[in-house]
Amino acid sequence: MKIRLLLAVAAMACATCAFGATPVTLQLQRGGTTVPTTTPLGGAPLTALELDPAMTSGDADSGDGYDMGNKPVVNRGITHGHAGSNRMGNGGRAKSSPELLGGFDGLNFHDQRYANGGNQFSVEPPDQGLCAGNGFVLESVNDVLAIYSTSGTRLVGPVDLNTFYGYPAAINRSTGAYGPSITDPSCYYDAATQRWFQVVLTLDRVGTTSALSGTNHLDIAVSKTSDPTGAWNIYHLPVQNNGTQGTPDHGCASGFCLGDYPHIGADAHAIFLTTNEFSLFGDGFYGAQIYAISKQALASGSSSVSGVLFNGGDPSIPAPAFTVWPAVSSGGQYAGANGGTEYLLSSDAVFNDSGTSTNVWVWSVSNTQAIDSTPSALALNVSPLTVQQYAVPSSLAHQKPGSTPLRDCFAVPACVNNFLGYPSFVYPAPRDLAVNDSRMQQVSYANGKLWGTLDTDVLLSDGSHGSGISYFVINPNSGVLFANGTLALPDANLTYGAAAVTQSGRGVIAFTVVGPNDYPSAGYASLDAKVGAGDVHIAAAGAGPWDGFTGIPYLGDDRPRWGDYGAASADGNTIWIASEYIAQTCTLSQYLTAPLFQCGGTRGALSNWGTRISAIGL
């Protein structure tokens, strides 16, 4: 196994580890501008080219291999083992949801596949980006975007992300030309500057062919005003880190690094973007990358923007830098000590053969006020924190039985051969779906505390393994844990947790609830620094089982993918959450009724995922 595990075991006992290495300075240039404009839904219900050939492959999360024939191009994992010792978390089902102010269905697979006149690929899983502020809610899901009023009225969307970022269509079905491949959207509304920030990972092609060229970049769209329906500036940050386009050379195998799994955070002075750096075309993990970029320069639309890069793969760093998630701040609350500080969290169970850990890592970047004058003066620190044991979830999630027309069609040769054009294959109904690994999920800084969650293995009441959510409320200066526990149900999985917190320190964890008695449903629980997590509430119950293409032979991904991350956003005393769930159900007969495979516009041929956006009052 060719993975650079940059963990100095002896250093794990350090209280605070600071690093003197000078960060790499960067300059971002402003590119074009964009205005989000709804693109028409349409196109053929199914084509001979539904999946992006450059992005279709197996998944590495189920083992140690990084061979090209058995790894995904993006959203890669590092899983070395599964839990040998598990415990049941604490949690019950609430009888009502008094805090639920309302909600509405967000983007779904039908929007994704048929946006821009159908010049899109079928994409699974639905990676979730959500942010809210100034009377708007913005949602971006692979590979579409929509903007809503807080009453749930869709103001713009769906907008395919290729169009939003000014690129040709993902696939031009008239000419066969490919546009860049876009993935992993996330967004943030910054109350201090009253600007919206939308980030994606973009992989360039060789001309208009399906082949990837190797160059890849984070595309950062920044609204020109507080209104996200208006104009935005676009900046490009190259992340191939091979010495080209102003990047440092990290020596990734086969010549190109990949800036995988980007996420966004902010303090008073800088926008922070983090990635997991893998070799794009070869084997190897090279450590998380931490980018700090001048927030004021981005917000003002400057033609040139300063930034710095901290390489988490540097051998001097004693932490295993994987999914180092930067904190978003609630309502303009920031850590002002040490010239301005941004906090980040990461976990390390995926590096252990047991698949368990009692450590999380608290990272900080200080002196952020120097980002515009002396960027190299920013300083990186990291320290381990002992927490309750958590573990890599070791099982797929069972689903409640129900109608699965895609699965049913595959089981009948006359259906799958004639309608879908694939060989027949019979698999259990309903199919299990994948839960998350134990990487850190969304992090918030509020009320002087750092709040984070991750998925963990738990034992269900029937003795089987399932997924719950570990949560952490931390004093980032002293390392004191205000709250640390595991939220779980005895009969269902909780997965892809994301926490957001108000300025006063009242939080919500959003997640998906799925199990033998639950269709994939949008769930949430309260989070408090004194009492921990509350009961599990169902914001919207799933209408049927997940019925998607991942995990099906012939369709290029070995895992039945459900998601990679969720999202939540604090807006005053309201917390907006977006959870993946199933909003529809239909029979095989309805699936085969014209227009084919769309069940009245509620799904597409190859999947039926949806999202639920909910407002929680605190």
Side-chain angles (χ1 to χ4, degrees):
M1 179 178 59
K2 299 178 180 178
I3 303 177
R4 291 170 56 188
L5 301 181
L6 304 170
L7 171 62
V9 175
M12 292 182 67
C14 70
T16 301
C17 307
F19 313 104
T22 301
V24 175
T25 58
L26 307 167
Q27 284 296 128
L28 284 69
Q29 303 302 314
R30 189 183 65 210
T33 61
T34 187
V35 176
T37 304
T38 303
T39 57
L41 295 173
L46 187 69
T47 71
L49 184 63
E50 281 297 311
L51 310 180
D52 184 344
M55 302 291 284
T56 304
S57 57
D59 190 88
D61 287 2
S62 59
D64 292 342
Y66 279 83
D67 58 289
M68 284 301 295
N70 192 42
K71 73 178 181 185
V73 174
V74 296
N75 298 326
R76 301 187 200 175
I78 302 174
T79 301
H80 294 197
H82 293 305
S85 176
N86 308 81
R87 65 184 301 279
M88 181 63 198
N90 301 312
R93 293 180 187 258
K95 295 181 180 179
S96 63
S97 299
E99 307 97 336
L100 186 62
L101 301 179
F104 52 90
D105 284 348
L107 293 163
N108 61 32
F109 183 86
H110 188 272
D111 294 326
Q112 148 63 44
R113 173 58 184 84
Y114 300 113
N116 196 15
N119 291 301
Q120 293 266 94
F121 291 109
S122 289
V123 175
E124 204 171 57
D127 296 340
Q128 175 60 247
L130 179 85
C131 49
N134 195 40
F136 299 95
V137 179
L138 189 154
E139 181 190 25
S140 50
V141 182
N142 284 347
D143 281 322
V144 284
L145 175 150
I147 301 169
Y148 309 88
S149 70
T150 52
S151 65
T153 301
R154 186 179 287 190
L155 305 174
V156 181
V159 183
D160 67 290
L161 291 180
N162 279 63
T163 296
F164 178 74
Y165 281 96
Y167 294 119
I171 175 67
N172 186 316
R173 298 198 176 276
S174 298
T175 66
Y178 290 77
S181 184
I182 293 179
T183 188
D184 287 355
S186 60
C187 72
Y188 169 66
Y189 175 71
D190 187 71
T193 59
Q194 297 189 345
R195 294 294 184 268
W196 301 78
F197 297 83
Q198 167 76 22
V199 179
V200 295
L201 170 63
T202 300
L203 294 90
D204 294 326
R205 308 279 191 181
V206 177
T208 60
T209 71
S210 64
L212 298 178
S213 68
T215 55
N216 58 107
H217 35 98
L218 303 186
D219 288 343
I220 308 159
V222 185
S223 68
K224 292 186 177 184
T225 70
S226 60
D227 183 349
T229 66
W232 300 56
N233 291 313
I234 298 175
Y235 296 85
H236 305 287
L237 175 64
V239 292
Q240 64 266 16
N241 291 340
N242 63 351
T244 65
Q245 298 181 342
T247 64
D249 189 350
H250 289 173
C252 289
S254 299
F256 290 90
C257 300
L258 170 70
D260 194 24
Y261 205 69
H263 285 96
I264 188 170
D267 83 332
H269 308 287
I271 291 294
F272 284 81
L273 304 176
T274 62
T275 66
N276 287 331
E277 187 162 275
F278 291 89
S279 168
L280 176 55
F281 297 125
D283 294 341
F285 172 61
Y286 293 80
Q289 306 298 305
I290 302 172
Y291 297 88
I293 306 165
S294 170
K295 184 167 73 174
Q296 189 56 49
L298 289 173
S300 64
S302 175
S303 60
S304 183
V305 177
S306 60
V308 295
L309 164 61
F310 291 96
N311 178 11
D314 189 294
S316 72
I317 295 178
F322 176 67
T323 308
V324 180
W325 201 299
V328 293
S329 298
S330 174
Q333 279 191 349
Y334 306 111
N338 301 313
T341 300
E342 168 70 358
Y343 293 106
L344 312 91
L345 288 176
S346 69
S347 62
D348 62 11
V350 295
F351 287 90
N352 301 326
D353 287 339
S354 67
T356 65
S357 180
T358 55
N359 275 332
V360 297
W361 293 82
V362 181
W363 303 70
S364 65
V365 178
S366 58
N367 198 27
T368 59
Q369 66 183 6
I371 189 66
D372 290 300
S373 59
T374 316
S376 60
L378 275 67
L380 177 68
N381 298 270
V382 63
S383 60
L385 178 65
T386 300
V387 298
Q388 179 189 95
Q389 180 174 284
Y390 60 93
V392 178
S394 56
S395 298
L396 299 174
H398 301 312
Q399 295 190 87
K400 180 180 177 179
S403 181
T404 52
L406 175 63
R407 177 265 173 201
D408 296 343
C409 188
F410 261 93
V412 180
C415 181
V416 70
N417 299 159
N418 294 334
F419 288 96
L420 298 179
Y422 297 110
S424 62
F425 185 80
V426 179
Y427 49 85
R431 300 161 59 215
D432 293 345
L433 56 82
V435 299
N436 202 5
D437 59 21
S438 64
R439 71 185 70 194
M440 190 62 63
Q441 294 290 276
Q442 184 168 314
V443 177
S444 296
Y445 178 80
N447 199 28
K449 303 175 182 66
L450 203 54
W451 311 66
T453 62
L454 54 80
D455 283 17
T456 185
D457 193 80
V458 296
L459 286 177
L460 303 181
S461 58
D462 63 2
S464 65
H465 289 261
S467 176
I469 295 172
S470 288
Y471 56 86
F472 315 93
V473 184
I474 302 165
N475 181 324
N477 298 309
S478 66
V480 170
L481 277 167
F482 292 99
N484 176 208
T486 301
L487 176 67
L489 289 177
D491 60 347
N493 295 271
L494 310 180
T495 191
Y496 300 102
V501 189
T502 67
Q503 291 187 49
S504 62
R506 302 187 67 189
V508 169
I509 309 172
F511 42 79
T512 295
V513 181
V514 58
N517 303 310
D518 295 272
Y519 299 129
S521 302
Y524 70 94
S526 63
L527 180 60
D528 184 88
K530 293 182 179 179
V531 301
D535 288 339
V536 172
H537 298 256
I538 302 297
W546 165 76
D547 184 38
F549 68 88
T550 50
I552 295 178
Y554 325 115
L555 293 179
D557 194 325
D558 296 336
R559 278 184 96 208
R561 303 294 298 279
W562 176 243
D564 288 306
Y565 49 90
S569 179
D571 180 18
N573 291 323
T574 300
I575 290 181
W576 291 89
I577 62 175
S579 300
E580 299 152 17
Y581 92 126
I582 299 300
Q584 63 82 238
T585 186
C586 65
T587 65
L588 179 59
S589 176
Q590 292 169 321
Y591 180 74
L592 297 179
T593 299
L596 281 172
F597 316 127
Q598 297 179 56
C599 295
T602 63
R603 64 166 295 159
L606 297 187
S607 193
N608 66 334
W609 57 257
T611 63
R612 182 71 177 182
I613 299 174
S614 305
I616 315 298
L618 297 177

